[in-house]
Amino acid sequence: KAPPKAEALAATPQTGLYSAATGSDKMTFVHLVDSKTKGVRVDPVSIPSDLIDQSRRLSEELAVDVAGACRSGIFPRNTDGWHCSARWCGYYKRCMSGQDKP
């Protein structure tokens, strides 16, 4: 499987937050791909500085939006992971708990 494109990686909040936290305008994600036929392959994906700047701005806007929502008593859900389950989330019964999933 091919590694994600730099644009897709730059579109994630993690990229912008990591860049802001480290103060770095250079970032490379390293993907280890384990293939039965070709063995382990290392695929580095460097993100250009203009995409890092864009990602940082988007992440900062997201952080401001989330902080404002939390102050208002609105907490954004993230159901894309193991944490959205009755077993792992203490708020599962208080949110939609996946009820709106198809």
Side-chain angles (χ1 to χ4, degrees), residues 1-30:
K1 183 176 176 181
K5 302 277 184 207
E7 293 80 7
L9 293 170
T12 66
Q14 180 181 1
T15 299
L17 293 172
Y18 181 79
S19 171
T22 62
S24 176
D25 62 349
K26 294 180 183 178
M27 191 173 300
T28 300
F29 284 86
V30 177

Side-chain angles (χ1 to χ4, degrees), residues 27-90:
M27 191 173 300
T28 300
F29 284 86
V30 177
H31 295 269
L32 297 177
V33 180
D34 189 3
S35 169
K36 289 182 181 180
T37 57
K38 298 180 181 178
V40 176
R41 186 177 80 236
V42 177
D43 283 337
V45 179
S46 295
I47 302 178
S49 60
D50 62 321
L51 289 180
I52 289 176
D53 290 341
Q54 175 186 347
S55 182
R56 194 180 290 179
R57 282 192 306 278
L58 291 172
S59 295
E60 289 169 359
E61 290 173 12
L62 176 63
V64 168
D65 290 347
V66 169
C70 290
R71 279 194 300 276
S72 300
I74 302 167
F75 299 92
R77 295 184 306 126
N78 182 356
T79 59
D80 294 337
W82 58 267
H83 54 275
C84 185
S85 68
R87 179 177 180 190
W88 297 108
C89 179

